Amino acid sequence: MDRSRLFAAAALLSLAAALTACQPKPTAAPPAPAAKPAAQVDAARLAAAGTDGANWLSTGRTYDEQRHSPLKQVNADNVAQLGLAWHHDLDAVNRGQEATPIVVDGVMYVSATWSKVFALNAKTGEQLWAYDPKVPGDWGINACCDVVNRGVAVWNGKVYVGTLDGRLVALDAATGKPVWETLTVDNTKRYAISGAPRVAKGKVFIGNAGAELGVRGYLSAYDAETGKMLWRFYTVPGDPSQPFESKALERAAKTWKGTWWTQGGGGTVWDGMAYDADTDLLYFGTGNGTPWNAALRSPGGGDNLFLSSIVAVKAETGEYVWHYQTTPGDDWDYDATGQLILAQLKIGDADRKVIMQANKNGVFYVLDRATGQYISAKPFVATTWAKGFDPKSGRPIVNPAAHYGTTGKTFVSQPGAAGGHAWHAMSYSPETGLVYIPALDLQMSYTPENNRKPSKYTFNIGFDFAAGSLPQVAAIKAGAKAGAVGHLSAWDPVAQKEVWRAQYPQPWAGGILSTSGNLVFQGTPMGEFITYSADKGTKLWSAPTQTGIVAAPITYEVDGQQYVAIEVGYGGAFAIAAGEVARDKHAPSNTPRILVFALGGKDALPADTFVALPLNPPASTADMALVDKGFHLYHPYCSNCHGDAAVSGSFIPDLQHSPVLSDAAVWESIVLGGARKERGMVSFAEELKKEDAEAVRAYVIYRANQTLAEQKAAKPVG
Ligand code: CA
């Protein structure tokens, strides 16, 4: 479709309308019917969202963030008739798409890579408007985990999006035009926003990311109408020579040692939030510390509050109410930022109002949400970093070998930094009483790095990326690939045990939707959209999606028809960083799309046009000293986006395939000259010299020839 022609046609039409308006009117024309106001969402509608199956009004569907829908037109008996009703290609870069769409009164609002927002007719897929916040391409390096966005919020005719470069923007829901915009971060520091805002009581709540990159975490509340900041809760204490922002932070400072504030501290609030309208408490999870390595962050120990914690504050004022720290003194990037679900559970004889999280550290937590009191915790995946958990408090009894910063020795931990669960939203069905967890079975090797100075464009985490790189040994590589898997766990939060699981040969399957049709929906990285029976886990239906899925599905109803929608597009933290372990564990195509299914749907996707890039590197002629120097520069400068050991497991270009490898001048123009900064590839000229760029090129050429030799050995000619 030629969009410029469409715009031209629209302009002519409005010109004609303007001319018509200037003509004297013989008789008064009847007034045009007023367009239905867009996104009319208020406190009453949000409070009643639980029974409003037709709409999906906030990212977690309800304030409880259960992601469970009462709709059951599509159910376990008829799901075989589910077919594609429509699809819409998003004008977005084909990296990770992690957004949960919002649907209000037949209109879908959804975000995509680089914080773009789209409004679509939820019945037909027709695009109503698009908004591009025009995030500068070179801000992409300030996002640890891909240029993703997990969704928007709606309130009183406006759509809210947090942009990768730290702005909170309110859009007119009818037109997509900005109403107000405010910078929520100090943009001299490496903050980024990837998470969805939440709205309650006329306030928009937004956090940020950057705990790998030297920032101080916080959550802010803004007036939804004006964009004025109302309060801010810092998650870690600042410089103790200055007044603390609150008594809570003064107490928190006693759990730190050294000069943590000079490194930022971390504790960023980059994803999970929930709101309890009864108690007016806002809950959120906090991230890891800066650096990860606790021996460098807080020498001599300490719990380091409020890192890796679930925190409750008063929504009205941001005043601290309680916290529960899931990983005291965290060394492993065990953010407590995963989705938070509120529910009422029968525990013993008591009806308990609880908050639940399947934490990155591999443990499923159930807490009293009014007080933060510990109720129970159990590992839902293997947890080699802990020897056990205190039965009264849930506090981990850490395996001493896991403190790699203290021992100075490598520790292979499960979970690793991707966690047992984090990004991919889970759901809770009050009908089955089960939480559906998109779980990860991943290990990671942690080696301390003590001497490198913090730099502008690397992760500053006290972790040696070169030492953690996958060894180029066939048996080790095969084992690592085979061991990197994932599963969907149907978890009983009362008994704290798994009831059923669906095992996947790949990790990083998408978020979950459950429905009263006894269905659980999940997409996979291989490009399959699946439904299971919610009670037993029987696979009932699936559809090919061509593209891998990270995001969570939603369901809604328009004109009596139930629809199930999913945003497809593979990417995110594991995909971009894990290199060969992630390669081939996703669909080869990656078209950013919304797919919407309904009973009897007859739409079809266009033919998949994926063509594999050839591997045709120049001969490796550099001496091994240069290659080795390149290896130690590639990690950590390049590996966090282009993948470990120069293998891309995502859709960020695999440098081994780069045609630029054979041209030192063009390579330099990109690495040092910033020729591709608009696409996210910044200039490293402040940090790397010409000979450094050349060393990295030599290393990538060497690796490409290694890979070529492996491929030839695996596929003998003839
Ligand atoms: Ca983190």
Side-chain angles (χ1 to χ4, degrees):
M1 184 78 63
D2 182 343
R3 206 160 282 172
S4 61
R5 202 174 293 169
L6 266 183
F7 283 135
L12 279 175
L13 277 175
S14 55
L15 180 63
L19 287 173
T20 308
C22 293
Q23 308 301 315
K25 289 175 189 163
T27 52
K36 196 173 174 187
Q40 287 304 302
V41 174
D42 57 17
R45 271 191 95 174
L46 281 176
T51 52
D52 176 8
N55 296 291
W56 189 286
L57 299 177
S58 62
T59 196
R61 209 186 89 78
T62 56
Y63 282 147
D64 289 346
E65 306 257 337
Q66 291 183 355
R67 291 177 181 263
H68 179 83
S69 168
L71 294 185
K72 50 188 173 186
Q73 185 182 81
V74 180
N75 58 57
D77 294 330
N78 65 16
V79 70
Q81 298 159 38
L82 201 59
L84 190 65
W86 57 263
H87 70 278
H88 178 81
D89 289 10
L90 297 169
D91 177 18
V93 172
N94 71 336
R95 287 168 63 174
Q97 312 297 340
E98 296 187 355
T100 301
I102 300 277
V103 171
V104 190
D105 302 330
V107 179
M108 177 183 294
Y109 305 95
V110 66
S111 61
T113 37
W114 293 106
S115 329
K116 287 184 169 184
V117 184
F118 302 88
L120 308 175
N121 180 318
K123 186 174 177 175
T124 65
E126 178 202 359
Q127 184 166 303
L128 306 175
W129 53 256
Y131 167 73
D132 180 358
K134 301 202 185 307
V135 173
D138 53 5
W139 200 267
I141 197 161
N142 298 326
C144 67
C145 307
D146 208 350
V147 294
V148 299
N149 188 283
R150 279 184 293 279
V152 300
V154 291
W155 175 266
N156 192 26
K158 289 186 262 305
V159 177
Y160 302 89
V161 64
T163 68
L164 200 73
D165 55 349
R167 290 170 283 155
L168 180 64
V169 184
L171 304 171
D172 183 324
T175 64
K177 299 275 184 292
V179 178
W180 56 256
E181 172 179 319
T182 186
L183 185 63
T184 71
V185 300
D186 172 355
N187 61 5
T188 66
K189 300 200 162 64
R190 300 182 67 190
Y191 284 102
I193 299 178
S194 57
R198 309 301 203 275
V199 181
K201 300 180 72 186
K203 297 178 181 64
V204 190
F205 305 105
I206 189 77
N208 47 55
E212 278 67 35
L213 310 170
V215 306
R216 184 184 182 200
Y218 56 84
L219 178 84
S220 314
Y222 291 88
D223 184 303
E225 294 306 319
T226 66
K228 179 174 177 269
M229 193 174 94
L230 301 173
W231 55 256
R232 176 164 290 176
F233 182 91
Y234 285 97
T235 60
V236 294
D239 181 349
S241 73
Q242 305 293 317
F244 291 105
E245 287 89 351
S246 68
K247 288 276 177 219
L249 285 173
E250 190 174 351
R251 286 195 299 275
K254 295 184 170 60
T255 66
W256 291 76
K257 291 177 179 160
T259 54
W260 72 89
W261 65 94
T262 61
Q263 305 181 84
T268 45
V269 182
W270 55 262
D271 194 13
M273 281 186 244
Y275 173 67
D276 184 344
D278 293 340
T279 56
D280 198 31
L281 292 182
L282 181 75
Y283 308 97
F284 53 90
T286 69
N288 57 279
T290 306
W292 291 356
N293 183 338
L296 299 182
R297 181 176 73 237
S298 180
D303 285 357
N304 298 172
L305 293 171
F306 300 101
L307 296 182
S308 303
S309 299
I310 298 166
V311 181
V313 300
K314 291 182 181 168
E316 191 60 37
T317 59
E319 189 186 335
Y320 168 91
V321 177
W322 61 256
H323 78 276
Y324 180 88
Q325 190 173 42
T326 47
T327 312
D330 174 36
D331 255 326
W332 312 276
D333 187 24
Y334 289 158
D335 312 67
T337 43
Q339 190 195 352
L340 296 160
I341 290 182
L342 310 185
Q344 185 157 321
L345 299 183
K346 188 103 180 160
I347 295 174
D349 291 331
D351 283 321
R352 300 290 296 268
K353 289 185 172 180
V354 304
I355 184 167
M356 306 187 280
Q357 186 181 61
N359 194 277
K360 245 188 173 187
N361 71 11
V363 178
F364 192 91
Y365 293 91
V366 181
L367 309 174
D368 182 299
R369 73 174 184 257
T371 62
Q373 184 199 351
Y374 170 84
I375 295 175
S376 65
K378 275 278 164 60
F380 61 95
V381 293
T383 50
T384 65
W385 65 282
K387 296 202 317 187
F389 297 86
D390 183 287
K392 290 214 168 60
S393 67
R395 187 182 174 98
I397 302 154
V398 176
N399 177 352
H403 283 304
Y404 60 94
T406 310
T407 65
K409 295 193 181 114
T410 297
F411 180 74
V412 177
S413 181
Q414 184 166 350
H421 164 255
W423 288 262
H424 312 86
M426 57 188 198
S427 88
Y428 168 70
S429 165
E431 288 148 47
T432 61
L434 300 176
V435 179
Y436 301 96
I437 309 168
L440 299 169
D441 304 292
L442 291 170
Q443 298 188 337
M444 186 165 145
S445 174
Y446 295 78
T447 301
E449 176 190 60
N450 296 318
N451 299 321
R452 194 170 58 86
K453 289 200 183 89
S455 83
K456 184 176 177 187
Y457 280 144
T458 59
F459 281 21
N460 291 311
I461 57 179
F463 169 98
D464 185 338
F465 281 92
S469 181
L470 185 64
Q472 295 306 315
V473 177
I476 295 176
K477 295 206 300 185
K481 285 206 84 157
V485 298
H487 63 276
L488 162 55
S489 179
W491 188 264
D492 178 341
V494 177
Q496 287 278 22
K497 66 174 199 318
E498 188 169 286
V499 173
W500 59 260
R501 82 158 56 186
Q503 185 67 48
Y504 298 117
Q506 305 85 19
W508 217 243
I512 308 284
L513 161 73
S514 57
T515 74
S516 294
N518 190 27
L519 294 174
V520 170
F521 293 80
Q522 185 181 33
T524 77
M526 299 308 289
E528 186 182 14
F529 191 40
I530 303 175
T531 60
Y532 302 93
S533 64
D535 54 354
K536 300 222 169 62
T538 309
K539 186 174 176 178
L540 298 174
W541 170 90
S542 81
T545 58
Q546 288 181 3
T547 289
I549 297 170
V550 182
I554 65 160
T555 187
Y556 58 92
E557 191 180 282
V558 183
D559 296 339
Q561 176 94 52
Q562 182 184 351
Y563 297 91
V564 180
I566 180 79
E567 182 181 56
V568 304
Y570 182 77
F574 168 77
I576 68 174
E580 189 156 353
V581 173
R583 196 188 66 192
D584 307 326
K585 295 216 171 195
H586 59 80
S589 282
N590 206 38
T591 305
R593 262 186 193 136
I594 302 293
L595 303 182
V596 175
F597 298 84
L599 292 178
K602 294 276 190 281
D603 188 22
L605 293 178
D608 192 347
T609 54
F610 167 76
V611 182
L613 278 174
L615 181 60
N616 187 22
S620 182
T621 55
D623 64 56
M624 282 312 290
L626 190 65
V627 169
D628 191 57
K629 180 183 174 185
F631 166 67
H632 285 279
L633 289 167
Y634 180 91
H635 309 83
Y637 281 98
C638 320
S639 60
N640 288 315
C641 291
H642 289 284
D644 177 57
V647 177
S648 177
S650 75
F651 291 85
I652 294 176
D654 187 310
L655 297 181
Q656 298 183 73
H657 293 264
S658 173
V660 169
L661 279 181
S662 57
D663 191 326
V666 179
W667 178 268
E668 194 187 317
S669 76
I670 296 167
V671 176
L672 303 181
R676 296 197 180 156
K677 72 173 188 177
E678 286 314 312
R679 289 159 66 176
M681 174 61 196
V682 296
S683 160
F684 286 86
E686 284 182 49
E687 310 222 288
L688 300 179
K689 300 186 179 71
K690 183 174 175 159
E691 53 268 35
D692 296 332
E694 197 48 27
V696 173
R697 190 173 73 92
Y699 168 66
V700 177
I701 291 172
Y702 176 80
R703 284 287 298 120
N705 281 280
Q706 267 188 328
T707 304
L708 197 60
E710 278 175 19
Q711 289 181 356
K712 281 183 178 157
K715 288 182 218 159
V717 177

